[in-house]
Amino acid sequence: MDFEFLGQTFLKLLPGIPVTLELATLSLLLGACLALAFAVIRVRRIRPLNWLVIGYVYVFRGTPLLVQMFIIYYGLAQFPEIRNSFAWTYLREPYWCALLALVLNTAAYGSEILRGALLSVPRGQIMAAQACGMSGFLLFRRISFPIALRQALPAYGNEFILMIKATSLASLVTLADVTGIAARIIAETYRPVEVFVAAGTIYLAISYGLILLVRLAETRLNPDQRDPAPVARVDAARKEVTP
Amino acid sequence: MLDTLTMFGFGPEGWGPAMLRAAANTVAVAAAGFALGGGLGILVAWAKIAGNAPLRWLAAAYTTILRGIPDLLVIYLFYFGSGLLLTPIANMFGVEGFVSFPGFVAGMGAIGVVSGAYHAEVIRGAFYSVKAGELEAATAMGMPRLLKFRRITLPLVARHALPGLGNVWQMVLKESALISVTGLVEIMRQAQIGSSFTRQPFTFYFAAGVLFLTITILSGLIFNRLEHRYSRGRA
């Protein structure tokens, strides 16, 4: 392996990192909002919407992301109505098309994760909240949602990693993310091994950082699983001594 | 509407046969990659469960790395990387230019290596959910290791692994769309050809989506039946 070339490739790939990170962050944030709305619709069984969401999730989880992205980027141009509408200023751009496809895709997977989490909130917790006089949005915001979030976090962490990997498909609609630049360098130099190592390292570093963040969030959201703070222990010891 | 029907029909102008052939290619390359990944997954799971320290470390590195790197990069590595090996040999025999594995072989290899990491995790999980007593009973009966593996361990692990394997298969199927970058004429590539020929990209990519959805639904049904069959007699 040629380490000088490896170093050069690494430097050339750096400008792709913001594109990859931006696509992943935006699509995960927007996708999670959509997913939450879908999950609530499913759990509350809000009638006509309920069926639409079931169909939506089924179709988006049953077809490859690449098909979805190509339908949006290449496919929509087939209709003059869309080409002449205001949406065309966005749908013409590969960036917005890739983002839209990623958001719609992760929303489908995310809604299933959140639905499972919302269903796993213990009945007793909700009944306790109702007994305290909470209902509707207040109950959701204070009780159901925080408990469900805790439950969903490990699975949603997996979805984060999958989305980081999924952003690489944006390179196939001409975006210059890490994979896009890597593909160009491979085509120019025919040295796939070094380019693979350099690009792979970047993706692994991003994924690893993300895993650390998720773990941090998990410990924050589950205070009961943390070691008790030292101060508390001293207090407990003192209580035992003074009757 | 009628135009669309003739376009995907089986007449002389129709794209029907081409799309169906492409669908067969998709299933073939996905199945070949899935099988390769399954074999690899068994080996890696074995290394994780029963290997010594260096083997375990290697297996952990493999599953971590392959699950963190985009599949597209792995496909590029296999496609262009095989060219690195084959081009000098081909040039030696007087063939000019860039020579690589055919798209099918490169795609199968890439899918196999990527899905192997997921297979390994599924199989390892399944192995740990087999009750130790069942394996001990086989040892107590005096079964030799290979016989015990074939008669007891493999069927029991397969039963527990089936739902997970179904998920891996669905993933592999959707991943196979990426192999279109190697030029293998599977569903995606055929849709690209069709849309550049007829200038109707939406129609063709939509058809590609319908084909993929049909394959996922059918394979979901098959896996359900298998699960049902393999969990007969389970309490």
Side-chain angles (χ1 to χ4, degrees):
Chain A
M1 197 176 295
D2 180 347
F3 283 99
E4 204 187 319
F5 178 70
L6 190 69
Q8 285 168 5
T9 307
F10 197 78
L11 289 180
K12 276 190 214 156
L13 289 176
L14 288 180
I17 296 179
V19 183
T20 294
L21 280 181
E22 203 179 298
L23 275 174
T25 321
L26 279 180
S27 60
L28 277 169
L29 280 177
L30 296 173
C33 295
L34 260 183
L36 184 64
F38 291 160
V40 171
I41 290 172
R42 284 293 308 276
V43 172
R44 292 273 161 87
R45 294 209 180 81
I46 303 171
R47 261 317 135 120
L49 287 176
N50 192 4
W51 297 110
L52 275 178
V53 172
I54 292 177
Y56 168 86
V57 169
Y58 204 86
V59 168
F60 274 81
R61 296 207 314 167
T63 53
L65 172 61
L66 190 63
V67 172
Q68 296 155 19
M69 210 177 264
F70 275 21
I71 284 185
I72 294 172
Y73 182 60
Y74 295 109
L76 291 182
Q78 187 177 323
F79 304 105
E81 295 87 348
I82 290 179
R83 278 206 309 271
N84 295 329
S85 76
F86 77 97
W88 187 241
T89 38
Y90 296 104
L91 291 174
R92 196 173 50 191
E93 301 287 334
Y95 181 84
W96 296 110
C97 289
L99 187 65
L100 182 63
L102 288 167
V103 167
L104 293 178
N105 188 269
T106 183
Y109 286 92
S111 79
E112 285 296 284
I113 298 173
L114 292 179
R115 185 173 73 97
L118 281 173
L119 287 175
S120 77
V121 175
R123 261 320 272 149
Q125 308 260 14
I126 293 175
M127 278 156 52
Q130 281 165 343
C132 291
M134 278 185 232
S135 66
F137 185 68
L138 187 70
L139 191 152
F140 182 78
R141 181 170 67 81
R142 282 216 191 131
I143 312 294
S144 310
F145 181 67
I147 296 176
L149 193 64
R150 238 188 255 181
Q151 184 73 29
L153 204 60
Y156 225 111
N158 268 338
E159 178 63 19
F160 289 170
I161 307 281
L162 288 176
M163 282 308 283
I164 295 276
K165 288 166 59 175
T167 56
S168 67
L169 297 202
S171 68
L172 295 180
V173 291
T174 70
L175 280 184
D177 70 327
V178 176
T179 303
I181 300 175
R184 213 186 54 220
I185 301 177
I186 291 176
E188 280 166 5
T189 61
Y190 282 112
R191 295 170 83 167
V193 180
E194 286 95 340
V195 179
F196 176 79
V197 170
T201 312
I202 291 176
Y203 278 104
L204 282 179
I206 296 176
S207 302
Y208 187 69
L210 210 60
I211 291 173
L212 287 185
L213 276 179
V214 170
R215 239 179 248 161
L216 206 73
E218 265 178 74
T219 31
R220 256 200 87 81
L221 287 176
N222 295 304
D224 52 311
Q225 285 169 20
R226 279 196 297 247
D227 284 338
V231 183
R233 262 188 239 135
V234 171
D235 277 354
R238 228 179 251 155
K239 238 173 229 161
E240 266 169 45
V241 176
T242 48
Chain B
M1 190 63 214
L2 202 67
D3 285 355
T4 315
L5 278 182
T6 16
M7 194 159 76
F8 287 109
F10 289 82
E13 301 281 291
W15 288 85
M19 289 301 276
L20 284 185
R21 261 200 310 276
N25 261 339
T26 289
V27 174
V29 75
F34 184 75
L36 182 68
L40 213 63
I42 291 180
L43 287 179
V44 174
W46 181 45
K48 281 194 161 192
I49 293 164
N52 52 18
L55 263 183
R56 277 206 310 273
W57 190 86
L58 263 179
Y62 165 72
T63 48
T64 315
I65 290 174
L66 266 298
R67 287 190 304 165
I69 290 181
D71 317 325
L72 198 53
L73 277 176
V74 182
I75 291 173
Y76 286 141
L77 178 73
F78 268 75
Y79 185 59
F80 290 102
S82 67
L84 223 53
L85 287 174
L86 295 184
T87 306
I89 301 173
N91 290 352
M92 218 155 62
F93 285 100
V95 181
E96 294 289 310
F98 177 77
V99 178
S100 74
F101 279 158
F104 189 92
V105 180
M108 180 185 86
I111 283 192
V113 167
V114 172
S115 72
Y118 291 90
H119 272 291
E121 294 297 310
V122 168
I123 294 167
R124 192 173 66 110
F127 178 82
Y128 283 122
S129 54
V130 172
K131 300 218 168 44
E134 291 177 297
L135 301 180
E136 282 164 8
T139 316
M141 298 287 286
M143 278 191 207
R145 273 177 61 181
L146 260 179
L147 189 69
K148 174 180 141 192
F149 178 76
R150 183 166 65 79
R151 277 215 195 135
I152 313 293
T153 316
L154 204 60
L156 282 176
V157 169
R159 168 198 274 187
H160 288 285
L162 255 180
L165 292 182
N167 286 340
V168 176
W169 166 251
Q170 302 274 8
M171 201 192 72
V172 161
L173 207 57
K174 284 179 265 168
E175 238 177 63
S176 75
L178 300 182
I179 297 173
S180 55
V181 298
T182 67
L184 175 73
V185 185
E186 43 68 76
I187 296 176
M188 259 339 251
R189 182 83 195 114
Q190 186 61 54
Q192 272 168 7
I193 296 170
S195 66
S196 58
F197 204 83
T198 59
R199 300 195 170 270
Q200 297 199 22
F202 184 85
T203 324
F204 270 90
Y205 291 126
F206 191 81
V210 171
L211 279 176
F212 270 111
L213 201 58
T214 314
I215 301 173
T216 8
I217 291 173
L218 283 181
S219 42
L221 288 177
I222 293 172
F223 265 96
N224 270 347
R225 281 196 70 126
L226 281 178
E227 264 173 57
H228 196 71
R229 220 182 118 80
Y230 272 90
S231 44
R232 274 183 308 185
R234 185 199 254 176

